[in-house]
């Protein structure tokens, strides 16, 4: 397939082209190979540290713009790696052309790779232009050369291109043979080790092929349904090939190998479980990582080692109570949060620590009392400082650049710290201006900061005490409702989870949230294609309906509509189904409400109950459904919808004799409410149920070894004797 990519001409750049820049390109046309070589060397010296010169040379044609027409054919990179340039070159001796010509001397090809690497170190537009000219296939072809210096130059240029944010990582995986060849090159020199590890660490992402916008490429090794980057590298022996580099004499090699493992192990149990058992020179990798955590090691090494151990711990390869986590990794990450560290180090340290302790209560408690961490994090919100604005413009620019990242990291770590422990939450909220900072964070321009602030609020909203005090004092529900009006799904998911907590019956925020139109918002969430939003929408409605007034319950049913309610009850996700049943159970509480709702929606609700009891559902779902029937049976008039439905009565009888005690007990509640002799019509109901054989089942259950079943059966039998 022909490639039809052309580098766009940028007029603003063209206007800056100088005669001296053109001179460098023109010299490459000389017929004397030595003069061409000298021209490339002079070009290399001219572009070092000069982004303007780099852009000029790209526009002038040092790198070709490739066109395809009916008269001038161009073939993409093939196994030979040679591009057919006949009829294409039009005014410049092209670096990529020289790089790929086997007739070019190795020295010339090497210098071309060096210049291309220097051009790639310029602006992102430079990298885009190089990508448009298919530089990656040309450089990958260069790796087949027997000459080590040329291979190193190609790898250095590839490294520079792949670390650019504009380069799709998937370009490394377009040919299955490339990864194998790179693994083989690891043994050639310390430079091949450094560059290849750096390429791997930047091209190992948890994403799939469809995220890449490139279409004019060979059939990829990675596809939407295929393995991810980590799996590909792991299957090609990355762990075994890179492990020994951790003890290299070169610091750069050790560091790049360490970074490679930090991305390979992230959220990957397979890699993590393998790493924990690999040894190098008689030492297991976790022991090597711990040595790299020591205070006398460079900060970069300490941080990256901590990230490796954190990923292995979260993947279950290392226990959370292991000394290497509790006594080494956690304290190291807390140190990274101190004022003595650079701002970027403080960000990385806090985010890694947040991930380490996110799901473990004991680690959260240990972190909270280590080096006054909770108070230390408050300093993250003080950038940029007013002093820096006056005295040092460079410092102000630096502080502004990292201010958003610092706030995001602090919110994340506070969220993890306060995830479970009430005392820790109290300490966080009592930290200087904490609630104000969270409220301000909810309206930040940065989506990442807003998301982190909502996560922090969600973590703190698990506290009953704080819901009644701090959350009410700062009217947190107002900015939260504003966030819910217009936000991307990732924020909506966390914000709606937080709203679920604010709608609990003991929360003072519940009433003003109701008055602000929350029912309509939540009902719309239940229609979302996003599963988490559907769950949160119905969960919040369930909390809202608990012990609510009849008007609120009617508004919920009206907002949902019968059609949507049935849609939720037939949802394939069990969480949606359980929360919908929970909503129905809360709606059908207190007799006047039960009778009112069943008088208007009884037929539909009974139909839904029947479908669920007949369906292939788990014990919890059927138990919740039987509890709904028990609530209906407690109504004054509503119970007649059960008594006149022989199908439902037979199902209740069936579950009384079920092998699961929970279902038996739930069915017993239905019977007890139906036969209670203090209520009108109880005698007729008792007689009908006796004729069905219910009394016989009650006698059997009264002999049950389960004390709850036994007691409930005896209580029911007493209604017949009264």
């Amino acid at each position: 397939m022909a490639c039809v990519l052309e580098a766009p001409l940028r007029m603003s750049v063209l206007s800056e082209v100088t005669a001296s820049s053109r001179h460098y390109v023109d010299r490459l046309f000389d017929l004397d190979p030595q003069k061409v070589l000298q021209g490339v060397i002079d070009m290399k010296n001219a572009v070092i540290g000069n982004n303007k010169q780099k852009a000029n040379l790209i526009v002038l044609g040092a790198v070709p713009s490739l066109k395809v027409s009916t008269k001038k054919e161009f073939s993409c990179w093939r196994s030979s790696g040679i591009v057919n340039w006949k009829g294409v070159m039009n005014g410049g001796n092209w670096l990529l052309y020289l790089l790929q010509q086997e007739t070019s001397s190795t020295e010339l090809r090497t210098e071309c790779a060096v210049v291309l690497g220097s051009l790639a170190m310029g602006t992102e537009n430079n990298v885009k232009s190089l990508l448009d000219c298919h530089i990656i296939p040309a450089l990958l072809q260069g790796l087949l050369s027997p000459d080590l210096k040329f291979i190193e130059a190609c790898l250095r240029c590839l490294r520079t291109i792949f670390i650019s944010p504009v380069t799709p990582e998937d370009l490394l995986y377009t040919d299955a043979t490339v990864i194998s060849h790179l693994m083989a090159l690891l043994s050639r020199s310390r430079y091949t080790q450094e560059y290849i590890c750096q390429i791997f660490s930047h091209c190992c992402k948890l994403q799939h092929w469809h995220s890449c916008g490139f279409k004019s490429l060979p059939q990829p090794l990675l596809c939407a349904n295929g393995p991810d980057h980590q799996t590909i590298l792991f299957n090609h022996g990355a762990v075994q090939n890179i492990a020994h580099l951790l003890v290299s004499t070169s610091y750069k090699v050790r560091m790049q190998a360490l970074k490679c493992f930090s991305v390979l192990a992230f959220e990957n149990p397979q890699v993590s479980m393998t790493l924990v058992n690999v040894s190098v020179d008689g030492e297991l990798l976790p022991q090597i990582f711990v040595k790299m955590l020591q205070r006398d090691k460079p900060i970069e090494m300490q941080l990256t080692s901590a990230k490796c151990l954190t990923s292995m711990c979260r993947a279950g390869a290392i226990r959370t109570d292991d000394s290497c986590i509790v006594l080494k990794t956690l304290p190291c990450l807390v140190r990274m949060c101190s004022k003595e560290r650079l701002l970027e180090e403080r960000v990385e340290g806090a985010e890694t620590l947040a991930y380490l302790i996110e799901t473990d209560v004991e680690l959260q408690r240990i972190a909270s009392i280590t080096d006054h961490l909770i108070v230390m994090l408050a300093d993250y919100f003080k950038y940029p400082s007013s002093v820096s604005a006056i005295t040092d413009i460079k410092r102000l620019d630096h502080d502004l650049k990292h201010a958003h990242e610092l706030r995001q990291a602090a919110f994340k770590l506070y969220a993890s710290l306060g995830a479970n422990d009430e005392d820790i939450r109290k300490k966080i909220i009592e930290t200087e201006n904490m609630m104000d900072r969270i409220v301000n964070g909810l309206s930040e321009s940065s989506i990442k900061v807003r998301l982190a602030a909502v996560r922090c609020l969600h973590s703190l909203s698990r506290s009953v005490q704080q819901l009644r005090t701090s959350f009410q004092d700062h009217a947190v529900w107002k900015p939260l409702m504003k966030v819910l009006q217009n936000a991307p799904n990732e924020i909506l998911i966390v914000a709606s989870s937080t709203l679920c907590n604010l709608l609990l019956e003991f929360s003072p925020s519940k009433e003003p949230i109701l008055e602000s139109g929350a029912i309509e918002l939540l009902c719309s969430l239940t229609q979302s294609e996003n599963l988490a939003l559907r769950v949160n929408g119905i969960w919040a409605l369930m909390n809202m309906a608990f012990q609510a007034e009849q008007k609120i319950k009617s508004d919920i049913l009206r907002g949902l509509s019968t059609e949507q309610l049935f849609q939720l009850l037939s949802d394939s996700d069990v969480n949606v189904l359980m929360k919908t049943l929970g909503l129905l159970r809360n709606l059908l509480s207190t007799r006047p409400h039960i009778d009112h709702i069943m008088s208007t929606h009884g037929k539909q609700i009974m139909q839904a109950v029947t479908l669920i009891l007949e369906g292939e559902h788990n014990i919890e779902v059927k138990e919740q459904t039987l509890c709904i029937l028990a609530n209906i049976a407690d109504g004054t008039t509503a119970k007649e919808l059960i008594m006149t439905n022989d199908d439902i009565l037979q199902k209740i009888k069936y579950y009384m004799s079920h092998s699961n005690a929970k279902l038996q007990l739930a069915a017993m509640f239905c019977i007890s409410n139906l036969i209670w002799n203090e209520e009108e019509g109880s005698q007729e109901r008792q007689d009908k149920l006796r004729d069905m054989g219910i009394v016989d089942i009650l006698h059997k259950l009264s002999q049950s070894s389960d004390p709850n079943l036994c007691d409930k059966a005896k209580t029911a039998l007493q209604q017949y004797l009264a």
Side-chain angles (χ1 to χ4, degrees):
M1 179 179 177
C3 294
V4 199
L5 289 176
E6 183 175 0
L9 292 178
R10 299 172 180 84
M11 300 308 296
S12 60
V13 178
L14 278 173
S15 64
E16 299 175 0
V17 175
T18 62
S20 60
S21 298
R22 190 177 300 279
H23 170 68
Y24 288 115
V25 177
D26 291 343
R27 289 176 64 194
L28 301 183
F29 265 121
D30 203 292
L31 297 178
D32 185 345
Q34 283 303 117
K35 290 184 178 179
V36 173
L37 174 61
Q38 189 58 49
V40 175
I41 293 172
D42 290 345
M43 184 183 291
K44 175 182 69 175
N45 295 331
V47 299
I48 293 174
N50 190 332
N51 283 347
K52 180 179 177 182
Q53 190 73 281
K54 292 173 184 178
N56 287 345
L57 290 172
I58 289 177
V59 172
L60 281 169
V63 183
S65 171
L66 304 182
K67 292 183 179 179
V68 174
S69 67
T70 55
K71 295 181 179 180
K72 297 178 181 180
E73 295 182 354
F74 169 74
S75 60
C76 288
W77 175 54
R78 293 290 186 264
S79 58
S80 64
I82 306 302
V83 175
N84 177 16
W85 296 95
K86 186 176 181 181
V88 178
M89 294 168 54
N90 56 2
N93 200 345
W94 316 96
L95 290 171
L96 272 174
Y97 172 68
L98 293 172
L99 178 85
Q100 295 180 100
Q101 293 305 299
E102 292 181 357
T103 55
S104 298
S105 68
T106 302
E107 186 179 4
L108 176 58
R109 296 172 76 192
T110 303
E111 291 296 340
C112 286
V114 172
V115 175
L116 287 167
S118 185
L119 294 177
M121 286 183 179
T123 64
E124 290 182 0
N125 281 335
N126 290 6
V127 177
K128 289 177 183 177
S129 295
L130 293 170
L131 290 172
D132 288 344
C133 295
H134 306 281
I135 189 173
I136 289 179
L139 291 169
L140 290 175
Q141 184 66 29
L143 300 182
L144 299 175
S145 168
D147 187 85
L148 181 58
K149 292 294 182 185
F150 179 50
I151 289 172
E152 289 173 349
C154 288
L155 283 172
R156 187 162 50 245
C157 185
L158 281 167
R159 180 273 314 267
T160 304
I161 290 171
F162 274 118
I163 65 176
S164 170
V166 302
T167 305
E169 299 86 3
D170 301 288
L171 291 178
L172 185 67
Y173 303 92
T174 56
D175 187 332
T177 63
V178 170
I179 304 300
S180 298
H181 189 61
L182 289 172
M183 292 294 178
L185 290 175
L186 276 169
S187 61
R188 294 294 299 274
S189 73
R190 71 181 182 89
Y191 294 110
T192 63
Q193 292 168 350
E194 177 190 342
Y195 303 148
I196 291 171
C197 284
Q198 198 167 1
I199 289 169
F200 285 161
S201 63
H202 278 85
C203 294
C204 186
K205 306 293 182 184
L206 293 173
Q207 60 183 25
H208 295 295
W209 175 254
H210 52 70
S211 64
C212 172
F214 277 59
K215 295 179 181 178
S216 301
L217 293 168
Q219 184 64 32
L221 173 67
L222 187 71
C223 64
N225 298 315
D228 57 25
H229 300 164
Q230 291 174 324
T231 303
I232 292 171
L233 293 176
F234 178 79
N235 290 342
H236 280 81
V239 173
Q240 294 75 15
N241 285 301
I242 296 172
H244 71 280
L245 303 183
L246 290 170
V247 294
S248 169
T249 55
S250 165
Y251 171 77
K252 288 184 177 180
V253 172
R254 293 199 306 276
M255 198 61 239
Q256 293 306 326
L258 192 60
K259 287 182 177 179
C260 199
F261 280 133
S262 75
V263 295
L264 276 172
F266 181 67
E267 293 189 353
N268 194 312
Q270 183 184 31
V271 173
S272 296
M273 292 295 185
T274 302
L275 287 178
V276 81
N277 293 312
V278 172
S279 63
V280 178
D281 294 345
E283 266 191 312
L284 291 171
L285 286 193
Q287 295 173 324
I288 295 174
F289 293 150
V290 168
K291 284 186 176 180
M292 291 177 166
L293 286 175
Q294 294 174 0
R295 292 172 184 257
D296 61 340
K297 296 294 189 291
I299 296 299
E300 178 188 34
M301 180 172 282
Q302 291 184 50
L303 257 175
T304 312
S305 299
K307 289 172 76 173
C308 288
L309 290 164
T310 293
S311 292
M312 292 167 72
C313 179
R314 284 300 305 269
I318 300 176
R319 289 169 55 95
T320 56
D321 59 355
D322 192 294
S323 60
C324 75
I325 298 297
V326 177
L327 302 180
K328 300 294 182 180
T329 307
L330 189 148
C332 171
L333 291 171
V334 173
R335 286 201 308 273
M336 296 302 141
C337 299
S338 68
K339 287 184 179 181
E340 288 70 33
R341 300 271 54 87
L342 298 175
L343 297 187
E344 45 268 48
E345 293 166 354
R346 297 176 75 183
V347 169
E348 193 170 0
E351 291 194 337
T352 306
L353 181 57
Y355 180 56
L356 173 65
I357 69 174
E358 185 178 20
T359 59
D360 191 89
V361 179
E362 190 56 32
L363 288 181
Q364 291 161 9
R365 288 172 181 159
I366 294 170
S368 71
I369 59 172
T370 303
D371 293 346
H372 306 287
L373 177 63
I374 292 176
V375 176
M376 189 192 304
L377 284 176
D379 189 64
Y380 278 47
F381 297 94
K382 298 178 181 178
Y383 293 89
S385 64
S386 56
V387 176
S388 65
I390 301 171
T391 60
D392 190 340
I393 297 300
K394 286 186 177 179
R395 180 183 166 189
L396 173 61
D397 183 62
H398 179 262
D399 288 2
L400 282 170
K401 181 181 177 182
H402 290 92
H404 289 308
E405 295 175 356
L406 283 163
R407 290 197 291 277
Q408 176 191 346
F411 282 138
K412 281 184 178 179
L413 186 45
Y414 276 137
S416 290
L417 284 166
N420 294 286
D421 191 278
E422 185 68 25
D423 290 336
I424 297 175
R425 294 188 193 114
K426 188 172 183 293
K427 289 178 183 177
I428 291 172
I429 288 178
E430 289 175 352
T431 303
E432 179 186 2
N433 300 323
M434 191 62 216
M435 290 305 294
D436 289 333
R437 285 168 176 159
I438 294 174
V439 170
N440 292 335
L442 295 176
S443 58
E444 284 242 13
S445 58
S446 166
I447 289 180
K448 290 183 177 180
V449 176
R450 288 209 308 275
L451 177 59
V454 175
R455 286 193 185 281
C456 184
L457 189 66
H458 179 244
S459 180
L460 298 175
S461 71
R462 294 169 180 158
S463 165
V464 175
Q465 181 183 355
Q466 302 309 327
L467 283 175
R468 288 173 170 167
T469 55
S470 300
F471 276 56
Q472 182 66 9
D473 294 342
H474 291 82
V476 169
W477 65 271
K478 290 182 179 179
L480 184 65
M481 288 298 292
K482 189 175 180 181
V483 167
L484 283 162
Q485 299 303 322
N486 184 24
N489 278 0
E490 58 183 345
I491 292 180
L492 274 179
I493 289 168
V494 188
S496 55
S497 292
T498 309
L499 191 65
C500 287
N501 292 342
L502 267 64
L503 285 169
L504 291 167
E505 83 280 2
F506 49 74
S507 170
S509 303
K510 182 174 182 177
E511 187 174 340
I513 290 173
L514 282 167
E515 293 172 354
S516 68
I519 292 177
E520 183 181 353
L521 170 68
L522 295 173
C523 288
S524 68
L525 288 183
T526 67
Q527 300 175 35
S528 172
E529 293 182 2
N530 184 285
L531 172 60
L533 288 178
R534 289 204 306 280
V535 171
N536 289 346
I538 199 69
W539 195 336
L541 288 171
M542 182 185 78
N543 288 351
M544 186 183 287
F546 183 75
Q547 295 184 352
E549 297 174 1
Q550 185 172 304
K551 181 184 180 302
I552 293 171
K553 293 180 179 181
S554 298
D555 289 344
I556 291 173
L557 280 170
R558 194 179 303 110
L560 271 181
S561 78
T562 304
E563 183 182 354
Q564 177 60 13
L565 189 62
F566 268 93
Q567 190 73 27
L568 292 166
L569 288 171
S570 59
D571 199 288
S572 59
D573 185 80
V574 69
N575 290 319
V576 173
L577 178 54
M578 282 294 288
K579 292 298 178 287
T580 307
L581 291 171
L583 169 62
L584 272 177
R585 190 174 173 182
N586 286 348
L587 290 171
L588 295 167
S589 61
T590 72
R591 287 182 179 176
H593 297 177
I594 294 169
D595 291 335
H596 175 75
I597 291 172
M598 292 306 291
S599 68
T600 55
H601 297 81
K603 182 179 178 181
Q604 296 90 336
I605 290 173
M606 294 302 290
Q607 184 182 348
V609 165
T610 303
L611 289 173
I612 293 171
L613 290 177
E614 290 177 348
E616 295 294 326
H617 297 290
N618 62 33
I619 298 297
E620 288 72 22
V621 168
K622 294 200 172 184
E623 180 190 16
Q624 188 82 294
T625 307
L626 287 168
C627 288
I628 291 172
L629 276 179
N631 283 12
I632 295 171
D634 191 42
T636 302
T637 58
K639 56 168 51 79
E640 290 306 312
L641 288 168
I642 296 176
M643 292 305 301
T644 56
N645 190 325
D646 290 340
D647 186 26
I648 287 291
L649 288 174
Q650 288 297 330
K651 285 179 170 52
I652 295 172
K653 177 184 176 181
Y654 166 77
Y655 284 108
M656 286 179 70
S657 302
H658 198 276
S659 58
N660 185 278
K662 288 183 177 179
L663 296 183
Q664 287 180 288
L665 195 59
M668 290 275 289
F669 274 106
C670 295
I671 296 299
S672 293
N673 286 344
L674 290 172
I675 65 174
W676 203 255
N677 57 30
E678 294 178 1
E679 296 174 6
E680 186 179 348
S682 62
Q683 188 62 53
E684 291 80 359
R685 291 191 293 273
Q686 287 181 6
D687 291 343
K688 182 173 183 177
L689 293 173
R690 180 188 287 109
D691 293 341
M692 287 179 59
I694 296 297
V695 174
D696 295 335
I697 299 175
L698 289 174
H699 279 295
K700 288 181 182 179
L701 290 174
S702 67
Q703 306 301 316
S704 172
S705 58
D706 185 305
N708 291 326
L709 278 176
C710 180
D711 291 344
K712 196 67 181 175
K714 288 178 180 178
T715 302
L717 286 170
Q718 287 174 4
Q719 299 304 307
Y720 278 94
L721 298 174

